[in-house]
Structure formats: structure tokens, C-alpha cells
Amino acid sequence: TNKLKKEIRTRDNYICRICGKKNSNQVHHIDYNKSNCNPENLITLCTECHGKCHGRINENQKNIITKQLLGV
């Protein structure tokens, strides 16, 4: 929902959690499961980083990005 997205952006201070760009406004599901709207699964990303997360990548690359986002 828009309310949840705003809460996530506010929590992250509108800063991309990957590159640190300010005024970021994209909300990303870390596990790529749009049904999982747990705030711990949502992060703020800039348009560029969000596009990289959803670009044409294979499963191995997706797993690497997910681990980076989770700090594993």
C-alpha cells in the first residue's frame, strides 16, 4: 500500500540502501516476493539500483544481490 511504502521510505530516510543516494523513492522486496510485505523484507532503493535488481539477471546473480541486501 502507499502508506506502507511511505513508512519504509521514512524509516530509510529516503536513502538508497545499496548506493546511498539521497531522495530515493523506490521500495524493493528483498526476497522478490511481492506478497511478503513484512517491513523487514522492504527497503528503499534509488531508481538505478532498483532497475539493476529487476534487470535481466539469472538466479545466481539474484541470489548474490539478495545476500548483499541482507548483509549475509
Side-chain angles (χ1 to χ4, degrees), residues 4-5 7-19 24-32 36-46 49-50 53-54 65-66 68-71:
L4 178 59
K5 288 178 183 179
E7 290 172 5
I8 299 305
R9 291 181 194 117
T10 300
R11 178 198 69 196
D12 294 340
N13 295 311
Y14 288 80
I15 296 173
C16 177
R17 297 279 301 273
I18 292 178
C19 74
S24 296
N25 63 0
Q26 304 285 307
V27 175
H28 175 68
H29 293 83
I30 294 171
D31 66 2
Y32 292 86
N36 182 1
C37 292
N38 182 320
E40 292 178 5
N41 183 50
L42 301 170
I43 58 171
T44 302
L45 297 179
C46 67
C49 289
H50 201 202
C53 287
H54 290 285
I65 291 170
T66 301
Q68 289 174 334
L69 293 174
L70 294 172

